[in-house]
Amino acid sequence: MRIQKKASNSADVAAAELKRGNIVVIPTDTIYGFSGLIGKTAEAIARIKGRAEDKPFIALIAEPADIYRYTDLKIPEHILNLWPAPLTLIVPLKGQGTQAFRCPADDWLRSVVAAAGDAVYSTSVNRSGTPPLTDIEAICREFEDSVSLIVDDGNLEGLPSTLVDLTSGTPRVLRQGSVVID
């Protein structure tokens, strides 16, 4: 199924598909992403991409404070205050492991994540080892039979998010994207 992002019910439709445990293609504040509920859809997304299942995906959250549902780390205020933005933070999870989170700048996307009720994985729409697809028609041709929904927002040519590792106690910029971290 394909729906225009500008359709009045597009956020509700996308959130409903996510809540059902389905994989959807949604526009983010950077590029299109394969998305599914955190903790429930990583294997399915990895299978669609043809990617190793041990390579983690970014998780989108609806509000900056939502990060504290997943980590006990006190995030430096000057970094946390940059959200919402195309800024991805890698943090230690409560319990064990790490996870990369982003609170996107797009209000529509944050409303989808909020309505889905949990963080949502997001990874570029492409087969592993190939460049991300930014042309909506190419995305539909390649993946319409692999996902339950594609939300069409035209062609997207965004910059990648800035990636900051906070797991060591000292912020480390791993990838400089559209948000500049001093």
Side-chain angles (χ1 to χ4, degrees):
M1 175 172 43
R2 182 173 176 177
I3 191 171
Q4 296 293 315
K5 179 182 174 186
K6 63 186 172 191
S8 62
N9 65 337
S10 65
D12 293 334
V13 171
E17 288 299 311
L18 291 167
K19 287 166 99 170
R20 286 186 192 104
N22 293 328
I23 309 303
V24 300
V25 170
I26 54 179
T28 73
D29 53 344
T30 56
I31 58 176
Y32 280 97
F34 286 121
S35 297
L37 284 181
I38 189 171
K40 299 176 182 168
T41 57
E43 288 179 13
I45 294 171
R47 196 169 36 257
I48 293 168
K49 285 182 71 82
R51 173 171 149 172
E53 291 179 18
D54 62 340
K55 189 174 178 186
F57 299 118
I58 290 171
L60 304 177
I61 54 177
E63 298 296 332
D66 291 349
I67 189 82
Y68 293 114
R69 291 172 53 191
Y70 307 97
T71 187
D72 291 322
L73 178 71
K74 178 67 176 144
I75 297 169
E77 194 171 316
H78 74 283
I79 292 176
L80 190 62
N81 286 341
L82 294 171
W83 271 349
L87 169 65
T88 302
L89 304 178
I90 302 171
V91 298
L93 293 172
K94 292 179 180 180
Q96 64 178 17
T98 61
Q99 177 65 54
F101 289 94
R102 184 166 85 236
C103 183
D106 184 89
D107 291 335
W108 176 90
L109 180 54
R110 287 199 323 276
S111 74
V112 169
V113 174
D118 205 348
V120 172
Y121 287 130
S122 182
T123 183
S124 60
V125 175
N126 61 309
R127 302 280 182 202
S128 187
T130 65
L133 294 175
T134 58
D135 179 273
I136 190 62
E137 296 306 326
I139 290 169
C140 290
R141 279 192 306 275
E142 182 78 17
F143 295 108
E144 68 184 344
D145 293 334
S146 302
V147 299
S148 67
L149 175 69
I150 296 174
V151 179
D152 181 345
D153 194 27
N155 296 340
L156 297 180
E157 297 285 342
L159 291 173
S161 64
T162 299
L163 183 61
V164 179
D165 184 344
L166 298 175
T167 60
S168 70
T170 302
R172 234 174 10 114
V173 177
L174 302 180
R175 177 181 68 207
Q176 189 65 59
S178 56
V179 174
V180 177
I181 301 289
D182 296 331

